[in-house]
């Protein structure tokens, strides 16, 4: 099915969406095709998923990850949006070859001899294996859901893949070309850093593991012995979230992780004191369950939002960090960092209390920050030349590679990857979404709390609506939210324009909201964000027996003992397809003592399994808890008569939405 | 009423068995080993272990009740214990003891079973407060009946099979597919038993076996998803009316499978099924130390079953019907006796300077040439005699 509405037809699109909910998209499509030439057709492969109002803009390259060939003269660049792998000649600074990839490609990894390349294709759950010279895909490897970071084992016999959606790590035998085991990871495993020998790899997990209600987040670094292919340690960055790029120092002693330190346990009014979110590098001892010291990138009145990648110079003395929210690369003196952390050989000497202070000290970065180098838009991956003299920066929203001279510490050139000069409405919106310019002291971008256009898994005290400490709310996704209005858990925002305008100004940025054309661009971009494929639906679309049984429970009108379930107390009534929301406020008995009201927006349930924690204040880390703990009076659907088997079946069905 | 009858029968069986025991000379521990072979060639018996070591609270264990012993067959350098006060990781080489308890996130202090995933090396602990996932030396998550699809918080046993984790709980059998985060539940609603109290598990030969309290042995074939149910043909009788007609009792305590033999223990004797015929074993007609059996594990490649009873540890070689039974003197040693049996005839008894930690034996496992035994007074282990080598290849 195709969506038939465009960005300049939001009002009609909204109306169509409303009608479509009830009459079906096929009918609307037929009508629309015959009546309006202004409507655009969405041809993106994900167009069949609900929630896509504005077409995905695939004109651009959007370089996201890079890898240097062993000869040092060739750079491979993955272009996320155009779904390409580009080969760039660094001497001529030009693109010499390109190869079409799968959907949402991410990392490129060069085999040891440089003859083979590996690229993760996130939406296809595959890794492409590529003949580097011919630039041809030789075969593909099946992975878990949303393959992201890649690494090779010692001896190069196994490929290690971080699967963001399925929260696990695939170990693939490269001779057999198949997965040999799946290791459970933390939450949303993101990147993999390998030590110089390849003996140990460290997997960053972007989001927090489940933590008790109103406790600090804690994201995991998973250490794997690539010889035994066993997990040897799981270290938590306590207080950290959105852990992304990582690298190991050349001496193999330290693991460096780009991470956010959110302050979601206190009211957001504290943004003025830098207490909304800060950005840091976690320095971890490279051993099982090694200690971690966190040092901030930020300054007292300026924040280096959304750190994405970190690399270390060959001599181990400098760190380079890309801050994609402020278009900047920070350069840190690692010797000074180690002094701050009181490092003694390969151990952090600072005690726990000192580490707490360091991790929150906004005045410290001047101790170790050597330079801040402006870059193109939305810098992501960083790659250093072998001698460390040149730093390449993937400038995602500039469609270019920035070249930094690490002696002069300045940008000395740029490689144009061939994207269009025109900036479309969507592109403008995407940049605004990812750029922290709008917020007070550039403290945060939309992407800060919505990495991957999704959620950060945190609960916030937005303060204004309920006063300090009141109305705690779980962060909600921005994927596929078109037609799920109203917005916010309170349902106070009738549309995205209001959400991104005055509401954003008041609640988040403490400066001003998006206005005029910027607001239009922002809304268009958010409306273009698709839902990823639902991996819980079997490939042939036929529900499993458990899912089918769950569907019966979801749609039932009678309890197990034959009592009639009033229409208002059935699952289907409030969570009607295709978005599984009735877009109304409902009281499901979940009002907490700090809530000013007991009715909440009925959330859409598409890809619900990936959007935890659950309920309006995020008190549930599993779907089960919604009914086992927080539905004692059957106000959240008649469910207390369900057997454990039926509840399990119901949850399996919910995951297919 | 039923329970009174049950223990009455047990008492009768115990009294009767005294008359059947063969009186033989007890050789002292100082007797040369050569004397032992005068009557019987030790090579013809199941493993005769003469030197035992025992680890207790004194040496650093958090508790002496060792409910479960699981050797780490992937790493081969550690033994995992389920105790009455947490999970213990015992380092074989250096004797290190790492303890994981509720303060570390474990579901409950009572750990009834531990399993090491043969693929990932992760450890799963069955506790009275849910199923705990241990990885990288830490508890990473506790699955309970509220936050997951686990049937019940009282988990008696856990095993791993393929990429799934099976749990035996008081409210049925749970199967967790960790790749897809899905739970299956098997209860009297969808498996052939009236009893949901699942007590113990094992897997082998493409099947998973369940010992259900009062429900006999339930066999699940992985390929077909079909169940087979084994019950005592005598039904409610507390004595075995017809020998070798099937399972000796429906109150089963553990299944064990290896090399084509299914071992089923109960509190009233033991059965072994070779998929052609059943054999029953009792303390009055064999070398079995007691009919009250907590657990049995099949030793791979040998047709030996190691049987943990309330009165000692017995080892049966199924092919020869020869037995070795280890019993601490005075119930807890340190000296013990070793009895050699052929069928129902005791051939030899001799004393040893060391033995298992207690006669109440709870669990047993193997790693290379060492047997590890969990008792109600510590963890004991001994080297298996060199002549005991696998005689059966594969299953």
């Amino acid at each position: 099915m195709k969506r038939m509405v465009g960005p300049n037809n939001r009002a009609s699109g909204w109306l169509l969406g409303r009608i479509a909910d009830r009459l079906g998209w096929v009918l609307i499509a037929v009508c629309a095709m015959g009546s309006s030439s202004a409507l655009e057709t969405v041809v993106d492969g994900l167009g069949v998923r609900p929630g896509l109002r504005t077409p995905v803009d695939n004109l651009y390259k959007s370089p996201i990850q890079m890898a240097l060939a062993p000869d040092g003269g060739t750079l491979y660049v993955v272009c996320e949006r155009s779904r390409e792998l580009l080969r760039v000649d660094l001497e001529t600074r030009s693109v010499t070859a390109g190869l079409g990839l799968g959907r949402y490609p991410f990392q490129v990894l060069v085999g040891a001899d440089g003859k083979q390349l590996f690229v993760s294709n996130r939406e296809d759950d595959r890794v492409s294996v590529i003949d580097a010279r011919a630039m041809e895909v030789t075969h593909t490897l099946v992975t878990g859901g949303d393959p992201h970071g890649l690494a090779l084992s010692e001896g190069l016999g196994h490929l290690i893949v971080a699967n963001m959606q399925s929260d696990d790590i695939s170990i693939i035998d490269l001779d057999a070309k198949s997965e040999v085991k799946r290791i459970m990871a933390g939450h949303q495993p993101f990147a993999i850093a390998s030590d110089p020998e390849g003996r140990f790899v460290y997997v960053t997990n972007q989001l927090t593991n489940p933590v008790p209600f109103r406790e600090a987040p804690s994201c995991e670094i998973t250490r794997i012995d690539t010889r035994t292919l066993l997990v040897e340690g799981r270290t938590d960055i306590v207080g950290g979230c959105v852990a992304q790029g990582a690298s190991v120092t050349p001496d193999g002693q330290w693991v460096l992780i780009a991470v956010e330190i959110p302050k979601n346990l206190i009211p957001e009014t504290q943004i003025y004191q830098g207490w909304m979110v800060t950005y840091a590098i976690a320095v971890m001892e490279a051993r099982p369950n090694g200690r971690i010291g966190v040092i901030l990138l930020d300054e007292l009145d300026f924040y280096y939002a959304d750190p994405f990648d970190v690399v270390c110079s060959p001599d181990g003395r400098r760190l380079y960090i890309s801050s994609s929210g402020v278009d900047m690369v920070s350069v840190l003196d690692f010797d000074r960092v180690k002094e701050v952390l009181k490092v003694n050989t390969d151990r952090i000497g600072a005690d726990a209390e000192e580490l707490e202070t360091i991790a929150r000290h906004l005045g410290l970065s001047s101790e170790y920050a050597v330079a801040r180098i402006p870059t193109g838009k939305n810098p992501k991956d960083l790659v250093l030349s072998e001698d460390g003299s040149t730093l390449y920066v993937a400038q995602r929203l500039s469609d270019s590679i920035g070249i930094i001279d690490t002696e002069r510490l300045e940008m000395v050139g740029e490689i144009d990857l061939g994207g269009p000069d025109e900036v479309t409405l969507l592109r403008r919106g995407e940049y605004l979404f990812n750029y922290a310019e709008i917020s007070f002291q550039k403290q945060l971008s939309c992407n800060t709390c919505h990495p991957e256009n999704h959620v950060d898994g945190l609960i916030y005290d937005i303060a204004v609506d309920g006063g300090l400490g009141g109305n705690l709310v779980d962060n909600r996704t921005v994927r596929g939210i078109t037609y799920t209005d109203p917005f916010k858990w309170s349902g106070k925002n009738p549309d995205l324009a209001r959400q991104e305008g005055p509401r954003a100004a008041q609640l988040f940025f403490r400066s001003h909201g998006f206005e005029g054309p910027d607001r239009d661009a922002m809304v268009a971009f958010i409306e273009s964000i698709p839902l990823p494929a639902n991996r819980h639906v079997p490939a042939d679309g036929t529900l499993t027996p458990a899912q089918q049984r769950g569907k019966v429970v979801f749609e039932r009108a009678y309890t197990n003992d034959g009592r009639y379930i009033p229409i208002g107390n059935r699952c289907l009534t409030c969570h009607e397809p295709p978005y599984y929301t009735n877009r109304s406020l409902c009281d499901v008995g979940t009002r907490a003592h700090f809530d000013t009201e007991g009715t909440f927006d009925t959330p859409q349930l598409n890809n619900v399994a990936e959007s935890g924690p659950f309920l309006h204040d995020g008190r549930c880390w599993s779907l089960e808890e919604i009914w086992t703990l927080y539905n004692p009076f059957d106000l959240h659907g008649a469910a207390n008569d369900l057997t454990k088997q039926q509840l399990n079946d119901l949850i399996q069905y919910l995951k297919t939405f | 009423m039923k329970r009174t009858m049950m223990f009455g029968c047990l008492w009768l069986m115990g009294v009767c068995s005294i008359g059947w025991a063969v009186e033989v000379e007890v050789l002292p521990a100082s007797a040369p080993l050569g004397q032992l072979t005068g009557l019987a060639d030790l090579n013809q018996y199941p493993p005769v272990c003469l030197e035992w070591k025992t680890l207790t609270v004194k040496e650093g264990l958090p508790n002496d009740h060792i409910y479960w012993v699981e050797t780490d067959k992937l790493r081969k350098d550690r033994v995992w214990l389920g105790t009455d006060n947490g999970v213990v990781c015992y380092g074989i080489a250096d004797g290190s003891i790492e303890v994981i308890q509720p303060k570390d996130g474990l579901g409950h202090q009572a750990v009834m079973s531990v399993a090491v995933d043969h693929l990932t090396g992760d450890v799963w602990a069955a506790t009275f407060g849910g199923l705990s996932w241990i990885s990288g030396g830490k508890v990473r998550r506790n699955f309970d009946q509220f936050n997951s699809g686990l049937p019940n918080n009282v988990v008696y046993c856990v095993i791993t099979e393929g990429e799934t984790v099976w749990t035996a709980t008081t409210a049925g059998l749970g199967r967790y597919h960790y790749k897809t985060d899905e739970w299956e539940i098997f209860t009297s609603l969808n498996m052939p038993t009236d009893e949901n109290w699942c007590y113990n598990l094992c897997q082998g030969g493409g099947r998973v076996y369940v010992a259900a309290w009062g429900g006999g042995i339930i066999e699940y074939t992985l390929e077909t998803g079909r169940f087979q149910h084994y019950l005592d043909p005598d039904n409610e009788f507390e004595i075995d009316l017809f020998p070798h007609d099937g399972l000796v009792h429906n109150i089963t305590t553990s299944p064990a499978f290896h090399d084509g033999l299914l071992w089923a223990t109960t509190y009233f004797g033991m059965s072994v099924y070779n998929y052609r015929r059943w054999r029953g074993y009792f303390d009055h007609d064999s070398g079995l130390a007691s009919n009250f059996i907590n657990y049995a594990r099949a030793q791979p490649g040998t047709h030996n079953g190691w049987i943990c009873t309330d009165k000692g540890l017995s080892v049966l070689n199924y092919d020869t019907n020869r037995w070795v039974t280890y019993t601490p003197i005075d119930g807890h040693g340190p000296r013990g006796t070793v009895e050699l049996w052929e069928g129902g005839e005791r051939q030899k008894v001799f004393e040893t300077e060391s033995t298992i930690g207690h006669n109440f034996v709870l669990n047993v496992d193997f790693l290379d040439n060492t047997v590890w035994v969990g008792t109600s007074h510590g963890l004991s282990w001994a080297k298996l005699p060199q002549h005991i080598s696998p005689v059966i290849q594969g299953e």
Side-chain angles (χ1 to χ4, degrees), chain A residues 261-274:
Chain A
I261 308 295
K263 307 293 165 51
N264 61 307
L265 300 181
I266 56 176
E268 285 188 8
T269 53
Q270 302 300 311
I271 189 171
Y272 297 116
Q273 281 76 40

mmCIF file with all atom_site columns, all heavy atoms in Angstrom, chain A residues 261-274:
data_model
loop_
_atom_site.group_PDB
_atom_site.id
_atom_site.type_symbol
_atom_site.label_atom_id
_atom_site.label_alt_id
_atom_site.label_comp_id
_atom_site.label_asym_id
_atom_site.label_entity_id
_atom_site.label_seq_id
_atom_site.pdbx_PDB_ins_code
_atom_site.Cartn_x
_atom_site.Cartn_y
_atom_site.Cartn_z
_atom_site.occupancy
_atom_site.B_iso_or_equiv
_atom_site.pdbx_formal_charge
_atom_site.auth_seq_id
_atom_site.auth_comp_id
_atom_site.auth_asym_id
_atom_site.auth_atom_id
_atom_site.pdbx_PDB_model_num
ATOM 1   N N   . ILE A 1 261 ? 25.422 12.028 30.087 1.00 0.00 ? 261 ILE A N   1
ATOM 2   C CA  . ILE A 1 261 ? 25.128 11.910 31.516 1.00 0.00 ? 261 ILE A CA  1
ATOM 3   C C   . ILE A 1 261 ? 23.840 12.704 31.759 1.00 0.00 ? 261 ILE A C   1
ATOM 4   O O   . ILE A 1 261 ? 23.883 13.916 32.019 1.00 0.00 ? 261 ILE A O   1
ATOM 5   C CB  . ILE A 1 261 ? 26.282 12.471 32.387 1.00 0.00 ? 261 ILE A CB  1
ATOM 6   C CG1 . ILE A 1 261 ? 27.619 11.843 31.969 1.00 0.00 ? 261 ILE A CG1 1
ATOM 7   C CG2 . ILE A 1 261 ? 25.999 12.234 33.859 1.00 0.00 ? 261 ILE A CG2 1
ATOM 8   C CD1 . ILE A 1 261 ? 27.728 10.347 32.206 1.00 0.00 ? 261 ILE A CD1 1
ATOM 9   N N   . PRO A 1 262 ? 22.713 12.062 31.626 1.00 0.00 ? 262 PRO A N   1
ATOM 10  C CA  . PRO A 1 262 ? 21.440 12.796 31.775 1.00 0.00 ? 262 PRO A CA  1
ATOM 11  C C   . PRO A 1 262 ? 21.133 13.086 33.238 1.00 0.00 ? 262 PRO A C   1
ATOM 12  O O   . PRO A 1 262 ? 21.583 12.377 34.129 1.00 0.00 ? 262 PRO A O   1
ATOM 13  C CB  . PRO A 1 262 ? 20.415 11.818 31.184 1.00 0.00 ? 262 PRO A CB  1
ATOM 14  C CG  . PRO A 1 262 ? 21.009 10.468 31.422 1.00 0.00 ? 262 PRO A CG  1
ATOM 15  C CD  . PRO A 1 262 ? 22.512 10.641 31.338 1.00 0.00 ? 262 PRO A CD  1
ATOM 16  N N   . LYS A 1 263 ? 20.379 14.138 33.455 1.00 0.00 ? 263 LYS A N   1
ATOM 17  C CA  . LYS A 1 263 ? 19.982 14.495 34.820 1.00 0.00 ? 263 LYS A CA  1
ATOM 18  C C   . LYS A 1 263 ? 18.459 14.390 34.912 1.00 0.00 ? 263 LYS A C   1
ATOM 19  O O   . LYS A 1 263 ? 17.780 15.319 35.347 1.00 0.00 ? 263 LYS A O   1
ATOM 20  C CB  . LYS A 1 263 ? 20.449 15.926 35.132 1.00 0.00 ? 263 LYS A CB  1
ATOM 21  C CG  . LYS A 1 263 ? 21.928 16.143 34.879 1.00 0.00 ? 263 LYS A CG  1
ATOM 22  C CD  . LYS A 1 263 ? 22.798 15.343 35.842 1.00 0.00 ? 263 LYS A CD  1
ATOM 23  C CE  . LYS A 1 263 ? 24.238 15.244 35.418 1.00 0.00 ? 263 LYS A CE  1
ATOM 24  N NZ  . LYS A 1 263 ? 24.911 16.468 35.092 1.00 0.00 ? 263 LYS A NZ  1
ATOM 25  N N   . ASN A 1 264 ? 17.955 13.266 34.498 1.00 0.00 ? 264 ASN A N   1
ATOM 26  C CA  . ASN A 1 264 ? 16.511 13.128 34.389 1.00 0.00 ? 264 ASN A CA  1
ATOM 27  C C   . ASN A 1 264 ? 15.818 12.920 35.732 1.00 0.00 ? 264 ASN A C   1
ATOM 28  O O   . ASN A 1 264 ? 14.603 12.881 35.800 1.00 0.00 ? 264 ASN A O   1
ATOM 29  C CB  . ASN A 1 264 ? 16.171 11.948 33.469 1.00 0.00 ? 264 ASN A CB  1
ATOM 30  C CG  . ASN A 1 264 ? 16.704 10.637 34.000 1.00 0.00 ? 264 ASN A CG  1
ATOM 31  O OD1 . ASN A 1 264 ? 17.889 10.522 34.306 1.00 0.00 ? 264 ASN A OD1 1
ATOM 32  N ND2 . ASN A 1 264 ? 15.834 9.659  34.117 1.00 0.00 ? 264 ASN A ND2 1
ATOM 33  N N   . LEU A 1 265 ? 16.582 12.766 36.804 1.00 0.00 ? 265 LEU A N   1
ATOM 34  C CA  . LEU A 1 265 ? 15.952 12.558 38.102 1.00 0.00 ? 265 LEU A CA  1
ATOM 35  C C   . LEU A 1 265 ? 15.596 13.872 38.791 1.00 0.00 ? 265 LEU A C   1
ATOM 36  O O   . LEU A 1 265 ? 14.996 13.878 39.845 1.00 0.00 ? 265 LEU A O   1
ATOM 37  C CB  . LEU A 1 265 ? 16.883 11.741 39.013 1.00 0.00 ? 265 LEU A CB  1
ATOM 38  C CG  . LEU A 1 265 ? 17.238 10.354 38.486 1.00 0.00 ? 265 LEU A CG  1
ATOM 39  C CD1 . LEU A 1 265 ? 18.131 9.629  39.480 1.00 0.00 ? 265 LEU A CD1 1
ATOM 40  C CD2 . LEU A 1 265 ? 15.980 9.540  38.218 1.00 0.00 ? 265 LEU A CD2 1
ATOM 41  N N   . ILE A 1 266 ? 15.998 14.976 38.196 1.00 0.00 ? 266 ILE A N   1
ATOM 42  C CA  . ILE A 1 266 ? 15.663 16.269 38.790 1.00 0.00 ? 266 ILE A CA  1
ATOM 43  C C   . ILE A 1 266 ? 14.858 17.070 37.773 1.00 0.00 ? 266 ILE A C   1
ATOM 44  O O   . ILE A 1 266 ? 14.872 16.770 36.573 1.00 0.00 ? 266 ILE A O   1
ATOM 45  C CB  . ILE A 1 266 ? 16.923 17.048 39.204 1.00 0.00 ? 266 ILE A CB  1
ATOM 46  C CG1 . ILE A 1 266 ? 17.866 17.215 38.012 1.00 0.00 ? 266 ILE A CG1 1
ATOM 47  C CG2 . ILE A 1 266 ? 17.629 16.358 40.360 1.00 0.00 ? 266 ILE A CG2 1
ATOM 48  C CD1 . ILE A 1 266 ? 19.082 18.054 38.330 1.00 0.00 ? 266 ILE A CD1 1
ATOM 49  N N   . PRO A 1 267 ? 14.121 18.078 38.217 1.00 0.00 ? 267 PRO A N   1
ATOM 50  C CA  . PRO A 1 267 ? 13.256 18.819 37.284 1.00 0.00 ? 267 PRO A CA  1
ATOM 51  C C   . PRO A 1 267 ? 14.054 19.467 36.157 1.00 0.00 ? 267 PRO A C   1
ATOM 52  O O   . PRO A 1 267 ? 15.189 19.914 36.358 1.00 0.00 ? 267 PRO A O   1
ATOM 53  C CB  . PRO A 1 267 ? 12.599 19.871 38.180 1.00 0.00 ? 267 PRO A CB  1
ATOM 54  C CG  . PRO A 1 267 ? 12.686 19.312 39.555 1.00 0.00 ? 267 PRO A CG  1
ATOM 55  C CD  . PRO A 1 267 ? 13.967 18.530 39.600 1.00 0.00 ? 267 PRO A CD  1
ATOM 56  N N   . GLU A 1 268 ? 13.417 19.542 35.018 1.00 0.00 ? 268 GLU A N   1
ATOM 57  C CA  . GLU A 1 268 ? 14.118 20.100 33.854 1.00 0.00 ? 268 GLU A CA  1
ATOM 58  C C   . GLU A 1 268 ? 14.380 21.585 33.979 1.00 0.00 ? 268 GLU A C   1
ATOM 59  O O   . GLU A 1 268 ? 15.110 22.143 33.176 1.00 0.00 ? 268 GLU A O   1
ATOM 60  C CB  . GLU A 1 268 ? 13.317 19.820 32.582 1.00 0.00 ? 268 GLU A CB  1
ATOM 61  C CG  . GLU A 1 268 ? 13.414 18.380 32.144 1.00 0.00 ? 268 GLU A CG  1
ATOM 62  C CD  . GLU A 1 268 ? 12.779 18.155 30.796 1.00 0.00 ? 268 GLU A CD  1
ATOM 63  O OE1 . GLU A 1 268 ? 12.404 19.144 30.152 1.00 0.00 ? 268 GLU A OE1 1
ATOM 64  O OE2 . GLU A 1 268 ? 12.645 17.000 30.407 1.00 0.00 ? 268 GLU A OE2 1
ATOM 65  N N   . THR A 1 269 ? 13.793 22.224 34.962 1.00 0.00 ? 269 THR A N   1
ATOM 66  C CA  . THR A 1 269 ? 14.067 23.657 35.139 1.00 0.00 ? 269 THR A CA  1
ATOM 67  C C   . THR A 1 269 ? 15.538 23.894 35.422 1.00 0.00 ? 269 THR A C   1
ATOM 68  O O   . THR A 1 269 ? 16.037 25.001 35.275 1.00 0.00 ? 269 THR A O   1
ATOM 69  C CB  . THR A 1 269 ? 13.261 24.211 36.324 1.00 0.00 ? 269 THR A CB  1
ATOM 70  O OG1 . THR A 1 269 ? 13.528 23.388 37.452 1.00 0.00 ? 269 THR A OG1 1
ATOM 71  C CG2 . THR A 1 269 ? 11.787 24.218 36.027 1.00 0.00 ? 269 THR A CG2 1
ATOM 72  N N   . GLN A 1 270 ? 16.227 22.858 35.837 1.00 0.00 ? 270 GLN A N   1
ATOM 73  C CA  . GLN A 1 270 ? 17.630 23.012 36.204 1.00 0.00 ? 270 GLN A CA  1
ATOM 74  C C   . GLN A 1 270 ? 18.538 23.128 34.989 1.00 0.00 ? 270 GLN A C   1
ATOM 75  O O   . GLN A 1 270 ? 19.760 23.094 35.121 1.00 0.00 ? 270 GLN A O   1
ATOM 76  C CB  . GLN A 1 270 ? 18.068 21.837 37.064 1.00 0.00 ? 270 GLN A CB  1
ATOM 77  C CG  . GLN A 1 270 ? 17.250 21.669 38.321 1.00 0.00 ? 270 GLN A CG  1
ATOM 78  C CD  . GLN A 1 270 ? 17.328 22.891 39.209 1.00 0.00 ? 270 GLN A CD  1
ATOM 79  O OE1 . GLN A 1 270 ? 18.400 23.374 39.487 1.00 0.00 ? 270 GLN A OE1 1
ATOM 80  N NE2 . GLN A 1 270 ? 16.174 23.407 39.632 1.00 0.00 ? 270 GLN A NE2 1
ATOM 81  N N   . ILE A 1 271 ? 17.965 23.265 33.832 1.00 0.00 ? 271 ILE A N   1
ATOM 82  C CA  . ILE A 1 271 ? 18.781 23.412 32.624 1.00 0.00 ? 271 ILE A CA  1
ATOM 83  C C   . ILE A 1 271 ? 19.753 24.592 32.769 1.00 0.00 ? 271 ILE A C   1
ATOM 84  O O   . ILE A 1 271 ? 20.865 24.572 32.260 1.00 0.00 ? 271 ILE A O   1
ATOM 85  C CB  . ILE A 1 271 ? 17.899 23.581 31.378 1.00 0.00 ? 271 ILE A CB  1
ATOM 86  C CG1 . ILE A 1 271 ? 18.755 23.509 30.113 1.00 0.00 ? 271 ILE A CG1 1
ATOM 87  C CG2 . ILE A 1 271 ? 17.081 24.840 31.419 1.00 0.00 ? 271 ILE A CG2 1
ATOM 88  C CD1 . ILE A 1 271 ? 17.941 23.440 28.829 1.00 0.00 ? 271 ILE A CD1 1
ATOM 89  N N   . TYR A 1 272 ? 19.341 25.589 33.518 1.00 0.00 ? 272 TYR A N   1
ATOM 90  C CA  . TYR A 1 272 ? 20.199 26.760 33.659 1.00 0.00 ? 272 TYR A CA  1
ATOM 91  C C   . TYR A 1 272 ? 21.488 26.438 34.404 1.00 0.00 ? 272 TYR A C   1
ATOM 92  O O   . TYR A 1 272 ? 22.486 27.092 34.268 1.00 0.00 ? 272 TYR A O   1
ATOM 93  C CB  . TYR A 1 272 ? 19.450 27.890 34.398 1.00 0.00 ? 272 TYR A CB  1
ATOM 94  C CG  . TYR A 1 272 ? 18.257 28.366 33.620 1.00 0.00 ? 272 TYR A CG  1
ATOM 95  C CD1 . TYR A 1 272 ? 16.970 28.214 34.132 1.00 0.00 ? 272 TYR A CD1 1
ATOM 96  C CD2 . TYR A 1 272 ? 18.412 28.955 32.368 1.00 0.00 ? 272 TYR A CD2 1
ATOM 97  C CE1 . TYR A 1 272 ? 15.872 28.638 33.414 1.00 0.00 ? 272 TYR A CE1 1
ATOM 98  C CE2 . TYR A 1 272 ? 17.307 29.383 31.643 1.00 0.00 ? 272 TYR A CE2 1
ATOM 99  C CZ  . TYR A 1 272 ? 16.030 29.217 32.162 1.00 0.00 ? 272 TYR A CZ  1
ATOM 100 O OH  . TYR A 1 272 ? 14.964 29.630 31.454 1.00 0.00 ? 272 TYR A OH  1
ATOM 101 N N   . GLN A 1 273 ? 21.435 25.424 35.215 1.00 0.00 ? 273 GLN A N   1
ATOM 102 C CA  . GLN A 1 273 ? 22.643 25.042 35.951 1.00 0.00 ? 273 GLN A CA  1
ATOM 103 C C   . GLN A 1 273 ? 23.379 23.880 35.274 1.00 0.00 ? 273 GLN A C   1
ATOM 104 O O   . GLN A 1 273 ? 24.235 23.259 35.893 1.00 0.00 ? 273 GLN A O   1
ATOM 105 C CB  . GLN A 1 273 ? 22.281 24.619 37.371 1.00 0.00 ? 273 GLN A CB  1
ATOM 106 C CG  . GLN A 1 273 ? 22.030 25.771 38.308 1.00 0.00 ? 273 GLN A CG  1
ATOM 107 C CD  . GLN A 1 273 ? 20.676 26.416 38.066 1.00 0.00 ? 273 GLN A CD  1
ATOM 108 O OE1 . GLN A 1 273 ? 19.697 25.729 37.826 1.00 0.00 ? 273 GLN A OE1 1
ATOM 109 N NE2 . GLN A 1 273 ? 20.642 27.741 38.098 1.00 0.00 ? 273 GLN A NE2 1
ATOM 110 N N   . GLY A 1 274 ? 23.038 23.628 34.055 1.00 0.00 ? 274 GLY A N   1
ATOM 111 C CA  . GLY A 1 274 ? 23.681 22.519 33.367 1.00 0.00 ? 274 GLY A CA  1
ATOM 112 C C   . GLY A 1 274 ? 23.222 21.186 33.904 1.00 0.00 ? 274 GLY A C   1
ATOM 113 O O   . GLY A 1 274 ? 23.934 20.202 33.827 1.00 0.00 ? 274 GLY A O   1
#
